Amino acid sequence: MIKTKHLFTMPVDVEIPLQMVGATPLGERRIAKITGGTFEGHQLKGRILPGGGDWLLLRADGSLQLDVRATLETNDGALIYMTYRGYRHGPTDVMERLNKGETVDPSEYYFRIAPFFETGAEAYAWLTRIVTVGTGHRLPSGPVYEVYEVL
């Protein structure tokens, strides 16, 4: 049986509107620029620095594939590079409501991520040796994630 421990909650602010690259051979490409946000948990907390992004791909099967890179700055000044991939999908009407900026109950769609971390800060080196997973939900301002360490 897999056990997890809550690592942090992370609301992410993104620039609206997204950059709409359009239909590519792989699907519809969208780019979301990260403008900020926060993260907070029992072992670490801080802010998300502007400048990261999410290279989104809307696939032919209706799944939104995430490819995110962000820099976290802890309250004690350490920098942590976070990258994650994931998927968001659900019934067509639910996804349309989300895309219009409506608030939708997270139980109505699937939104999961798999984050990994890099840092040169000794106090947070433990992050580079763990596996984490997360659940998300979408607000008009951007996604909110609950990230868990897999024990």
Side-chain angles (χ1 to χ4, degrees), residues 6-86:
H6 188 260
L7 188 58
F8 56 76
T9 300
M10 184 177 73
V12 181
D13 298 328
V14 297
E15 185 177 284
I16 305 293
L18 304 183
Q19 296 175 354
M20 305 301 276
V21 176
T24 74
L26 300 177
E28 183 182 313
R29 179 67 67 183
R30 305 169 182 173
I31 301 170
K33 292 161 76 174
I34 295 173
T35 59
T38 59
F39 62 96
E40 184 168 353
H42 181 68
Q43 294 178 274
L44 69 165
K45 68 188 271 188
R47 67 187 184 118
I48 303 167
L49 298 180
D54 187 351
W55 288 261
L56 299 152
L57 183 66
L58 181 57
R59 302 181 338 182
D61 66 0
S63 295
L64 190 64
Q65 182 176 303
L66 295 83
D67 179 5
V68 180
R69 294 166 188 89
T71 304
L72 310 180
E73 181 181 41
T74 63
N75 280 357
D76 58 0
L79 295 181
I80 301 167
Y81 173 65
M82 177 182 187
T83 182
Y84 57 90
R85 295 187 61 113

Side-chain angles (χ1 to χ4, degrees), residues 102-120:
E102 295 179 22
T103 301
V104 178
D105 188 311
S107 67
E108 295 186 56
Y109 57 99
Y110 183 92
F111 194 177
R112 304 291 185 270
I113 61 170
F116 289 89
F117 304 92
E118 294 178 36
T119 186

